[in-house]
Amino acid sequence: MTGFVGTESPVDERIAQLDPEGARDVTEHLHSQGWTDGLPAVAATDDIVAGFLAETDRDPDDVVGRHPQLEREVTVRDVAVNAVMAGCLPEHLPLVLASWDALSSERAALGGGWQSTSGPGPLLIVNGPIRQRLGIASAGGALGPGFRANLSVPRAIGLTVRNGFGIRPRELEQATLGVPGRWNLCIGENEEESPWEPLSVELGHAPGDDVVSATLVRGFELVDNRSFTSAEDVLGDLVDTVQRSGALIGPHSPAGLLLNPEHARLFASAGMSKQDVREWITTRAGKTERELAAVGKGLNGRGDRTFEPDHFHRTIAGSAVGQFPIVVAGSSNAAMSLVFRVLGAWSGRAFPVR
């Protein structure tokens, strides 16, 4: 072997001595054991796992994730093994572990969320200088391909759910369709282009702290509004998206917002804080009982309460940061934002990466 396929550059001596057929055999073995998610995985040898564990002062036998209903637990060592398989680097392990801390505070993740018919995925939101140290994308294309940490860290969560909890598609997992990109939803907040304080500060951490927040999400909806003439134009568009009836499975539909920097600056230039935007949207987003009944989602007959046809049901239960988180992310090359749908209720907590 004298070079990589498609290049003319020679490989170095160590790579030239590798056994491609042996590597393929390892990949096929991991697939045959049911340990992967359909993509190739890295073999987690004892030496490689030890190198990962050297990046944390946590005891390898400490429990970091639980599934009470299945009576199953995963340890720091289990997480390290799956982080290797997911393609993480050793320095990614503290973030993976902190993500498990965050997920372990989520009611949905401790209940049936991993097995839900919605097929939700964990959305990880990272704040602090660790974004630069680990190369976590927060600007253009941050939810797309091309950024190792953004993809491998949440994939490590997915492989741990699969191999540690034993939750596999069409077995313990019962997703009807599932969420596209279920195990690659990680993004840094674009603190540098945001006109406001980051989510981590809103949640009580000091500026510059390395923290991660996590929740289970059911999907994303694009808000493409580049022809606005005022902040109210975009706010109205966001309300229209947030109150969409299709996302409702009960009286409320928890959600959050990944806000493009251009939209964020528009609101800030109008004198609005994050909380002002949150309150503007959550107090207006909703539908009347008549509108819900027209799409088969009326609330009359559910429980003991009845409602007049013009009764207004708010889509979001309240306007606290934990009820409707707003994260500035993406680039400023086009005014597009995303509404994400939360499974259950978010705890509104962030956890330090240590």
Side-chain angles (χ1 to χ4, degrees), residues 31 45-46 89 139 152 162 172 187 227 263 267 281 320 348:
H31 277 295
T45 65
D46 289 341
L89 295 173
S152 62
R162 180 185 185 91
L172 290 175
I187 196 167
S227 58
H263 284 159
F267 300 147
I281 293 172

Side-chain angles (χ1 to χ4, degrees), residues 2 8 108 190-191 202 204 226 244 247 258 316 351-352 354:
T2 59
E8 297 179 358
N190 192 343
E191 300 176 19
E202 289 187 282
R226 320 179 206 195
R244 188 180 66 84
L258 297 180
I316 309 296
F351 287 77
R354 52 189 175 88

Side-chain angles (χ1 to χ4, degrees), residues 65-73 109 111-112 114-115 165 167:
R66 293 180 172 84
H67 196 298
Q69 290 81 1
L70 297 177
E71 298 182 344
R72 294 174 183 174
E73 300 176 336
W114 299 122
Q115 300 160 263
F165 294 156
I167 298 174

Side-chain angles (χ1 to χ4, degrees), residues 2 54 87 96 169 179 219 227 309 347:
T2 59
V96 180
V179 172
S227 58
S347 68

Side-chain angles (χ1 to χ4, degrees), residues 138-143 187-196 220-228 231 234-235 237-238 256-269 272 274 277 281 324-340:
S138 57
L143 275 180
I187 196 167
E189 182 157 17
N190 192 343
E191 300 176 19
E192 291 70 28
E193 294 190 73
S194 173
W196 301 312
F220 295 82
E221 294 149 86
L222 179 67
V223 180
D224 186 339
N225 195 319
R226 320 179 206 195
S227 58
F228 56 81
V234 180
L235 288 166
D237 205 0
L238 291 168
L257 182 59
L258 297 180
L259 194 64
N260 174 272
E262 187 173 346
H263 284 159
R265 287 193 293 269
L266 172 69
F267 300 147
S269 66
M272 302 181 75
K274 262 191 186 181
V277 173
I281 293 172
F324 190 69
I326 296 176
V327 179
V328 177
S331 68
S332 299
N333 63 344
M336 293 184 282
S337 298
L338 288 173
V339 172
F340 60 88

Side-chain angles (χ1 to χ4, degrees), residues 48-296:
I48 295 175
V49 172
F52 273 61
L53 292 173
E55 294 291 323
T56 179
D57 59 4
R58 301 196 193 193
D59 189 307
D61 294 322
D62 282 352
V63 173
V64 293
R66 293 180 172 84
H67 196 298
Q69 290 81 1
L70 297 177
E71 298 182 344
R72 294 174 183 174
E73 300 176 336
V74 291
T75 65
V76 170
R77 182 180 287 103
D78 295 328
V79 172
V81 168
N82 285 282
V84 173
M85 293 178 62
C88 291
L89 295 173
E91 53 266 35
H92 295 160
L93 182 61
L95 177 57
V96 180
L97 292 170
S99 298
W100 269 109
D101 292 338
L103 288 165
S104 294
S105 74
E106 296 301 301
R107 181 178 176 183
L110 292 175
W114 299 122
Q115 300 160 263
S116 170
T117 53
S118 297
L123 172 63
L124 312 179
I125 301 165
V126 184
N127 285 108
I130 194 172
R131 293 170 299 128
Q132 285 79 24
R133 292 200 305 273
L134 298 187
I136 297 170
S138 57
L143 275 180
F147 307 102
R148 184 171 185 173
N150 293 62
L151 296 180
S152 62
V153 169
R155 188 188 183 201
I157 301 293
L159 289 179
T160 306
V161 169
R162 180 185 185 91
N163 298 321
F165 294 156
I167 298 174
R168 295 179 173 85
R170 302 183 185 178
E171 295 177 18
L172 290 175
E173 184 220 289
Q174 296 298 313
T176 302
L177 283 171
V179 172
R182 182 181 188 187
W183 302 118
N184 61 13
L185 303 176
C186 174
I187 196 167
E189 182 157 17
N190 192 343
E191 300 176 19
E192 291 70 28
E193 294 190 73
S194 173
W196 301 312
E197 62 185 11
L199 178 66
S200 56
V201 174
E202 289 187 282
L203 297 178
H205 293 267
D209 283 355
D210 291 328
V211 302
V212 61
S213 309
T215 188
L216 296 186
V217 298
R218 305 173 64 216
F220 295 82
E221 294 149 86
L222 179 67
V223 180
D224 186 339
N225 195 319
R226 320 179 206 195
S227 58
F228 56 81
T229 58
S230 67
E232 286 75 14
D233 287 349
V234 180
L235 288 166
D237 205 0
L238 291 168
V239 166
D240 188 56
T241 303
V242 168
Q243 69 189 12
R244 188 180 66 84
S245 62
L248 284 166
I249 55 175
H252 303 293
S253 178
L257 182 59
L258 297 180
L259 194 64
N260 174 272
E262 187 173 346
H263 284 159
R265 287 193 293 269
L266 172 69
F267 300 147
S269 66
M272 302 181 75
S273 66
K274 262 191 186 181
Q275 184 60 27
D276 291 333
V277 173
R278 189 175 289 118
E279 291 177 1
W280 205 100
I281 293 172
T282 58
T283 56
R284 290 168 173 80
K287 291 186 177 295
T288 65
E289 177 65 22
R290 179 184 291 107
E291 289 172 323
L292 291 178
V295 294

